[in-house]
Amino acid sequence: MGGVESTRRYRAGLRGSETQRGAEVTLADSAPLTGEASSPFERGATLGRYVVLETLGSGGMGVVLAAYDSKLDRRVALKLLHPRTSQDADGHARLLREAQALAKLSHPAVVSVYDVGAMREQVFIAMEFIDGPNLRGWVHAERRTPAQVLAVFRDAARGLIAAHDAGIVHRDFKPDNVLIGTDGRARVTDFGLAVPKHAPVPVVAASSSSSHGSMSGRLTETGMVMGTPAYMPLEQHAGRLTDERSDQFSFCVSLYEALYGVRPFTGATGAELCAAIKQQSVPPAPSGTTVPRFVHEAIVRGLAARPNDRHPSMRALLRALRPRSRRGRTWMQTSVAGLVLGTAALTVAEPSERPCSIFTGRAAALFPAERAAAVRDAFLATDLPNAAPSFEAVSRDLDAFSDRWATTAHEACLATERGEQSDHMHDLRMHCLERARAQVDATIDVLGTADDTVIARSLEMVAKQTNISVCSDTEALQRTSVLPRDADEAARAAAAFDVLDRVEVLRMAGRKDEAKTLLTEHVDALEASTYPPTAAGLAWHRGRIAGGDNRADEAIEHFERAYTLALEHGLLRIAAQAASSIAFYYSEFKVDLERADDYIRAAIALARASGSKRTESAALGNLVTLRVRASRFDEALQAAEDSLRLAQEDDAHPILIGHAMVTKAQMVARVHGPKAARVLLLEAETLIIDAVGPQHGHLVGVYNGLYDTARKLDEHQTALRYANASLHQAQAAHGTDSLDEAYALANVATALGKLGRVQEALTMLARVDETFAREYGKDHPIRSTTLNNLASLQVRLEAWPSAYALFGEARDIQAATADGPSEVLMLLDRNLAEVSILMGDLEGAAAHAESAMRAAQALYGNDHSVTGEVLTTQGRIALEQGDYAAARTALERAVSIGNDTPSEFAITEFLFARVLLESPGSTPADCARARAMARACESVFAHAAGRDDMLDEVRAWLQAHDG
C-alpha cells in the first residue's frame, strides 16, 4: 500500500496513554531475603561509576538494580551478590560463571555483559538493561497467537544457538530467563548455571522459591541438581553430562507451555516428573488449537527422554519450527535473486584425437537432426504456447555451441601442431572442452523428456552449460586443472561424471527427486573414486541434495568437504562455488552473516584466481544478496555492477546478462530511485528480445521491474501494461493456475486497484490468495503480501476495520519468520499506523509508526525516501494530535529527503503546508508558502490516477484557507 491514501476521515483527539514497567530480571533460584534488606541501596547511591536508580528484583543470593553508568552514559542492570553470598565460594563462582559465559557472547538474542568486578565486598555484573517483562509475563500479559509466540521463541532459540556455538550450555532455560525488550525482541539471560558442554551437573541443595512471583508452581526438592526441575531433562535430573540437547529439552518444555498453557510433563515430586518424561506421556495438542502440526511434531521430538532421539541441535529444531517453502519469490518486495550457487566445472581427461579436422564431426554429432527432432517433439507435446519458440531458441544456442566448440578444439589442436603449446597444455584444453561437451550432452538428454518446467528453464539450462571461454585460458588451466593419472582412472572418472552431469541437469530442470534417486543409486561407486575432481564433485552434489531437503548442517558438511578437496588440489572454480554455497547456508539457515561474509569473500578471490569470469560474476551476485540482507545497499549496487561487467566481458548468454541487468536495476532503484532503474530494465528487455524473441518467459523479471518503477512513479496505466505483459509471459511459460501466474496476477490486481477498478482487483487477489494458500500453506510469508494488498483495497472502500484486520494478519504471518529488520514488516507497520489514524486510534498509530521507523532506519538509514515516508506518517500523527512542533520537525525532514513518487511527495508537502498555516503563531510568509505548496499538490493530484480523495481534500482546504 505504501501508506494509506485517503486522509478525509481523520478524527482529531489523543487517547490517554498508560505505561507499565513490567521489567523483571531474575536471579538464580534462591530463597527471598529475610534478615537483610531487600533493597540495600537507596536511589541515587553510587557504586563506583554506577548510580542506583531502583531495585528490579532480589533474592537470597543478591539483588538486581537499575543503575546509570556515568562513564558510558547508559542505563544498565546491575546484579550484585549479597555480602554474605560474595564470601561464599560457590555463590561467587556462580556469578562469575554467568559473567564469563555472557562475556563470550555477542548476539542480539543474548543479554550483553558490560562489566564485572567487586565493590563494597560484593561481586557484581553490569549488564544490558532490558525494559520489559520476562517471557512468562509476556505470554500471560495478553492473548498471544501461536505466530507471535513462535516469533519470540525463535529469537530465544538464536540466543541459545549463539551460546552453544561459544561452547556454553545454559542448563536453566525457562520462560523466566528470557527477557522481552520494548522492541519486541527476546534476549536470553541468567547464565549462572552455564557450564562448558558435556560438563557434569553438580548436586546442591535446591531452594524453595524464586526472587519473584512468576515461578509459582515449580517443583523443588532438597538435594536436587541446580536448575528448575520442571524444565530439566532426565540427564540433568540424574547429574549426568549435559550438552546443547539438554537446553533443547528445556526450550521445548517452555514452548509447549507457552503455546498450550500447560507443561508437557507433570508430577508432584521429582521422581514422578522423571517417570512422566521416561514414559513420554506428552499430551496431544488441545482440540481446536491453531498451532501448526509441524510445530507440534518438532516440539515433541525435542522432548524425547534420550538426547539422541531429540533434534541434532538447536539449529535443527529452529529449522523444524519454520514453515517449509518450495519457492522464495515475492512480488511485493524488490526481490534480489537468491544466492547463485553455480555449477561445478568438473574436468576429466580423454585421449586427445588428431588430426585437427576431426573436431567438426565430433561437434556435429552432439545435436544431429534426429536428436533435435526428438527434443522438438517433446517440447510440442506439452501444448504450451511458448513451446515452439523455446525449442527454436534452444536449437540455435546448441548449434552455436557446436560451432564454437569445434572452432576452439581445432585451434587447440593447431597450436600444438605448430609447437605453440605443449602436449600437456593440449590435454588440459581438450579435457576442459570434453567436460563441457559431456555436460551439454546430458542437458540435451533431459530436454528430450521436456515438461512445462523444463521448457521454462531450457534456455537458461543451455546458457549455463555452454560457456567454454575458460578452455582457452591457458594460464588458468595450468593453475586449476587436474588430469587423470592414467587411462583406467580416466575411464572411471568419465563414468562418474556421466552420473554427476545428469544429477546437475536434473536439478536445474526442477527434478530434484530424480536427481536425488540417481545420486543415491551410484553413491557407493562414486565414493570409491580417488580422482580429486570426481570426489569434490560428489561432495558438491551431495551438498546440493541435502540443501534441497533443508538439511543445512549436512549440506554445509558436504560443501566444506568439496571446498577442502578443491583447495588441496587447486580446483579453484569448484572451491569458489563451494564457498558460495557455504555462504548461502550460513546466511539463510544459520543467520550468521559474519561467517557468510568470510566465505563469500573467499569465493570471489578464488573465482578471480581461477580465471573464470562467469564464476566470479556468480560469486559477486551472491555478494549482492548478502549486502542487501545487511542493508548495505551502496555496496550491493557496486557488487551488482561488477557482476554485470564480468558477465558482459565473458560474452555470457544474453539471458544471463539480462538477469544481471535486472539485479543491478533492483539495486539502482534502492539507491537512486525508479527513474534510473527504468533505463537498465528497458535495456535488458531489448537485449533479451533481440537474442531469444519475446515469448520465452525470460522477460517476466524485466516486466515486473518495469511495472514496479511505473507504479512508484504514479504511472498506473503504464504499470498495468507491464503487469499484463508479465502475466502473458507467465501463462505462456507455465500455463494457467500456476504459481507463476499467481505472482503476475497479484501485480495486475494492484495496478487495477490504483486505477479505481477495485472490485476487479479484489476478485483477482482472492484468486491469488487461494493459490498461495494451496501451494504454500496459510501461514507462509508470501500470503502476507496478498493480504497487504487486499487490505489496501479495503482502505479504498473506506472499510477501516477490515483493512486493519488484514494488515494485522499479514504482519503476524511475516513476523513469525522474520530474522531482524524486514522491509515487509516495516511497510505493514506503516500501513497499520495509517489505518489507525483513520480509525481515530492515534496512540496505536504512533506505536506502529515507531516500529516502522526503527526498521526503516536499520534498513535504509536516515536519508532514504522510504524513511521519509515513515516520517510523513509520524508527522501526520503529530498533526492530528495538535503537536505542531513535532509535526513540523518530522515533515520538514521528510520534505528535505524527497520522494520519486510524485503523489507520495505531494502528500508530504500538503501535510507540511497544513502545519505551516495552521500552527499557532504562523507568519504571513509561512501562510503564503503553505498556500503555494498546496496549489502545487493540487496539480499533482489532479493528474495522478486514483488520487481523487486527496484532490478533494486539498481543494477543500484551499477553499477554507486561501486568501
Side-chain angles (χ1 to χ4, degrees), residues 7 37 95 104 155 257 267 329 371 373 387 443 463 490 580 717 728 756 770 847 863 901 960:
T7 61
L95 193 65
K104 289 182 181 181
D155 274 349
E257 181 182 16
R329 294 169 295 179
R371 198 176 191 190
T443 302
S580 282
Q717 285 290 355
H728 174 74
E770 181 181 345
D863 300 319
T901 304

Side-chain angles (χ1 to χ4, degrees), residues 339-381:
L339 288 174
V340 183
L341 303 180
T343 57
L346 307 175
T347 55
V348 60
E350 291 185 1
S352 59
E353 301 182 22
R354 300 176 188 174
C356 300
S357 59
I358 67 169
F359 294 112
T360 300
R362 280 181 58 77
L366 183 65
F367 196 54
E370 59 273 17
R371 198 176 191 190
V375 172
R376 182 177 183 275
D377 290 345
F379 273 49
L380 296 181

Side-chain angles (χ1 to χ4, degrees), residues 637-688:
L637 174 57
Q638 183 61 58
E641 289 174 344
D642 291 341
S643 177
L644 173 59
R645 172 181 53 78
L646 286 167
Q648 292 168 327
E649 291 176 359
D650 193 46
D651 196 26
H653 193 283
I655 287 176
L656 302 182
I657 294 175
H659 291 173
M661 282 183 174
V662 171
T663 298
K664 179 182 174 181
Q666 291 167 339
M667 295 303 98
V668 167
R670 288 175 181 270
V671 177
H672 299 301
K675 290 181 181 178
R678 173 179 283 175
V679 175
L680 269 172
L681 291 165
L682 290 172
E683 184 179 350
E685 178 190 29
T686 300
L687 176 72
I688 294 174

